[in-house]
Amino acid sequence: MNSRLTAQVSYKAHSAVPALPAGGVIGLIAPAGPAELDLSLATQWIQARGYQLRVFPGVWEKDGYLAGADATRLRDLHDAFTDDSIDAILCMRGGYGSPRLLDGIDFERLKRHPKPFIGYSDITALHLAITRYAGFVTFHGPMLNADLLGDKQAPTESSLLDMLSGRQGSQLAHPAAFPLTTVAPGVACGRLLGGNLAMICAMMGTAFELDADDIILFIEDVNEPLYRIDRFLTQLRLAGKFAGLRGVLVGDVAGVDHEALIQLVGQTFEPLGIPVLAGWRSGHCDPNLTLPMGALVSLDADRQQLVLEQCVVTINNHKA
């Protein structure tokens, strides 16, 4: 195993990261698939919200289904973290490519330069790795092209910017227009971890697999039929990943019949006797709400609430 990965893994809550300050610089990287960037539109969007944009070189590259060569995408990831002028790191899109970077990441380097890191879908691989080996909170949230420039509903933007700036209160709001479903009652506290279900399963058997002890498991997916969702959940169960769960938060599972999904989720997790709440609007959906990966949270399935039990960002009003 890579020597950088041998450090003892902590199952305590992960550290907060510096908040995105007013006027701060958002670094844009493409660690997975390629996408066309309208620089003028992106810059206008960022500046209209009081921030600055810096685009890293790999965003402009394309290597088949990848946004540039592995070395380019890895360099951009490292540079975005270590450049102290960058206040937050936003991913361009998902697709595929993030897992190819994992065994090359210098996690000690990231640990010395913690900052908000935002993305979802294929970016789940990076969330699992960074929270596990660098030990700070990351953000399962909207990406530039599909979400922020894609004119998704207002809670997508406000959820992200409130979270990163420190304006977010302890209780995470969920839009009333999208009712939640209490699959199993109860209240639990644990680290919120997870992301795209297919990617969580793809990481099994590697040094970057989900460390599931004492967590609130968050899952979402897209374009996977119900039997594959069943297969993914069964794989995690047979791998022993359910033994330490405190609760489950099911995000959007696009393309699957809701009632059939609720039945499957109930059958899967009912034997564990833990709270399960479904329908949270995070993932490949509109709106796409931001969730802090690695943060200590309370899940109240009865009241259908998710509450932060720690600060996820720290505010420094004297940034040099």
Side-chain angles (χ1 to χ4, degrees):
M1 184 190 300
N2 189 314
S3 62
R4 290 192 292 267
L5 308 182
T6 57
Q8 182 178 358
V9 176
S10 172
Y11 292 106
K12 298 180 181 179
H14 292 71
S15 301
V17 293
L20 173 62
V25 180
I26 298 174
L28 182 65
I29 65 172
E36 295 294 328
L37 174 65
D38 184 330
L39 181 60
S40 176
L41 179 62
T43 301
Q44 181 181 12
W45 192 96
I46 294 291
Q47 290 181 347
R49 285 144 184 86
Y51 304 106
Q52 303 173 61
L53 178 66
R54 176 174 166 192
V55 180
F56 282 79
V59 168
W60 304 111
E61 297 193 14
K62 184 177 186 297
D63 184 6
Y65 49 80
L66 301 171
D70 291 349
T72 300
R73 292 179 290 114
L74 180 62
R75 183 181 66 243
D76 282 357
L77 178 70
H78 281 146
D79 289 351
F81 270 104
T82 56
D83 186 336
D84 290 335
S85 72
I86 302 296
D87 297 295
I89 303 168
L90 180 63
C91 294
M92 181 73 170
R93 62 157 295 191
Y96 174 71
S98 299
R100 295 169 60 113
L101 307 182
L102 298 182
D103 57 354
I105 296 175
D106 184 343
F107 292 100
E108 290 299 322
R109 189 173 175 183
L110 271 57
K111 188 183 297 186
R112 293 193 296 270
H113 301 273
K115 60 188 64 174
F117 174 81
I118 310 105
Y120 68 104
S121 194
D122 187 73
I123 309 302
T124 293
L126 292 168
H127 288 309
L128 294 178
I130 293 171
T131 54
R132 182 168 187 137
Y133 292 111
F136 54 80
V137 170
T138 62
F139 298 92
H140 184 281
M143 294 183 285
L144 187 67
N145 264 26
D147 301 278
L148 300 176
L149 299 184
D151 199 28
K152 289 196 171 180
Q153 297 182 49
T156 298
E157 175 187 328
S158 59
S159 173
L160 173 67
L161 297 182
D162 287 352
M163 186 80 72
L164 298 188
S165 67
R167 297 191 298 266
Q168 171 65 55
S170 60
Q171 183 171 327
L172 302 189
H174 192 272
F178 300 94
L180 297 165
T181 300
T182 299
V183 181
V187 180
C189 184
R191 296 171 303 127
L192 182 65
L193 279 178
N196 180 260
L197 182 58
M199 183 54 66
I200 293 171
C201 289
M203 293 295 97
M204 291 299 299
T206 75
F208 310 96
E209 68 181 27
L210 176 75
D211 55 58
D213 283 0
D214 299 323
I215 72 167
I216 305 295
L217 173 65
F218 167 69
I219 54 174
E220 67 85 35
D221 220 312
V222 61
N223 295 332
E224 298 286 2
L226 188 65
Y227 79 88
R228 290 188 183 178
I229 301 298
D230 188 346
R231 185 174 69 196
F232 294 149
L233 293 174
T234 299
Q235 180 183 1
L236 294 180
R237 177 178 64 82
L238 294 176
K241 291 299 181 180
F242 291 173
L245 295 186
R246 296 290 187 89
V248 178
L249 180 67
V250 181
D252 188 68
V253 183
V256 173
D257 177 77
H258 179 71
E259 294 303 320
L261 176 66
I262 295 302
Q263 182 178 10
L264 172 61
V265 169
Q267 291 172 344
T268 301
F269 295 108
E270 183 179 11
L272 303 180
I274 58 176
V276 181
L277 183 63
W280 197 271
R281 299 295 290 182
S282 292
H284 298 76
C285 54
D286 183 11
N288 179 7
L289 305 178
T290 299
L291 290 170
M293 297 291 97
L296 190 65
V297 302
S298 290
L299 174 67
D300 188 333
D302 301 293
R303 296 183 178 182
Q304 299 186 334
Q305 293 178 347
L306 186 67
V307 177
L308 294 178
E309 297 293 348
Q310 70 166 99
C311 292
V312 295
V313 298
T314 56
I315 298 175
N316 178 6
N317 295 319
H318 303 286
K319 182 178 183 288

